[in-house]
Amino acid sequence: MRGTAAPLVSTQNIPVLLSVIAAVLIASGIISLIAYNWYAIPRMAKAVSAFVLLLAVQAVSVSVRCSPTRFAKASWKEGVTLLWALLFGGVVAYISRTCRLPGNTASFLLVWSVSSILLSYAMQSVSAFVLAVLLSAAYTVVSGTSGGEPSLFYLLFAALCPFALRYRFGIRLMLLLAAAMMGFVLEKGVPGLWIVCAVSFAVLCLEYGLSHKDGFIAALSFAGLCVLLLVLSVNDFW
């Protein structure tokens, strides 16, 4: 049943949380090490090492995914998949810089977001899903502030929704994402439309939280509605 899955944070999931933290630290260490010694590493060595790292973590991810051991699936899958997703972004950045490929930050974040979404479904990974949500938000903000077209956010959002509906926290996260990115996306198309949509969205979320007895969404929606009304009542805003 949608939105009724057991909470993700519990004592049984401590190994999963530790593996996610380890994945972030390992990926950060590898990327930082290569970036620090960027000019000391030959060009060919950079490309080879990037592909070797990515292939190695892919092999480990597939072996963990196919392992019949429940511990491996629960404790290693999230960390290894997150490491794969993070290193993929690092490898794309390294290759783009090494080969001097044309592109911008928004395009890079879009490619990274799509890859993380695919990984979240392929590996059934919650950590990759959370990373994809963050990258989708980053792409929308960067694209909107740099004069680009953030309308691809709709496709990213639609791709994330089926996975999010499996967990209550996923529904909350998607509602927060929609509320936070609404202004960046709608203001680009029809200026001022986001005001009507934001107020309506806050009211709908409040109704959802009350009808489903979700205090978190109800309280956050009420707070957001109060902030919107306060902002709209300021003369300098207009």
Side-chain angles (χ1 to χ4, degrees):
M1 186 177 295
R2 292 180 177 178
T4 59
L8 291 179
V9 179
S10 65
T11 54
Q12 296 179 350
N13 291 319
I14 290 178
V16 176
L17 295 176
L18 293 177
S19 66
V20 168
I21 295 173
V24 174
L25 294 176
I26 293 172
S28 301
I30 293 175
I31 294 173
S32 300
L33 179 64
I34 297 177
Y36 182 79
N37 298 281
W38 181 260
Y39 296 103
I41 303 176
R43 184 176 181 181
M44 182 59 66
K46 294 174 186 176
V48 172
S49 60
F51 280 112
V52 169
L53 283 172
L54 196 58
L55 289 175
V57 74
Q58 286 176 1
V60 175
S61 299
V62 172
S63 64
V64 170
R65 184 74 174 88
C66 298
S67 174
T69 306
R70 182 178 180 181
F71 175 81
K73 288 186 177 181
S75 302
W76 285 85
K77 180 185 67 176
E78 295 294 338
V80 173
T81 305
L82 182 60
L83 181 61
W84 183 355
L86 293 173
L87 287 181
F88 179 85
V91 168
V92 171
Y94 289 155
I95 293 176
S96 298
R97 185 173 179 181
T98 300
C99 301
R100 297 179 176 85
L101 299 178
N104 50 43
T105 304
S107 300
F108 165 70
L109 290 173
L110 178 61
V111 172
W112 199 1
S113 300
V114 172
S115 67
S116 299
I117 293 173
L118 294 177
L119 277 177
S120 64
Y121 284 102
M123 301 295 293
Q124 294 298 303
S125 172
V126 175
S127 58
F129 163 74
V130 174
L131 178 63
V133 170
L134 297 176
L135 291 173
S136 299
Y139 158 74
T140 305
V141 173
V142 171
S143 180
T145 55
S146 61
E149 181 57 52
S151 58
L152 287 177
F153 169 78
Y154 296 117
L155 297 178
L156 296 175
F157 187 87
L160 288 166
C161 278
F163 193 97
L165 291 175
R166 303 175 187 178
Y167 307 98
R168 172 167 290 187
F169 100 98
I171 298 175
R172 295 174 175 177
L173 192 59
M174 295 304 290
L175 289 176
L176 288 174
L177 178 65
M181 297 297 105
M182 189 176 299
F184 288 97
V185 178
L186 296 179
E187 185 67 19
K188 202 70 176 177
V190 182
L193 179 62
W194 71 271
I195 299 175
V196 179
C197 294
V199 175
S200 302
F201 183 75
V203 173
L204 290 175
C205 289
L206 179 60
E207 183 180 355
Y208 172 86
L210 293 176
S211 61
H212 288 76
K213 297 181 179 180
D214 193 328
F216 176 82
I217 292 180
L220 195 63
S221 302
F222 181 76
L225 188 60
C226 292
V227 171
L228 282 171
L229 295 178
L230 180 62
V231 171
L232 295 177
S233 64
V234 177
N235 291 331
D236 293 338
F237 177 80
W238 303 98

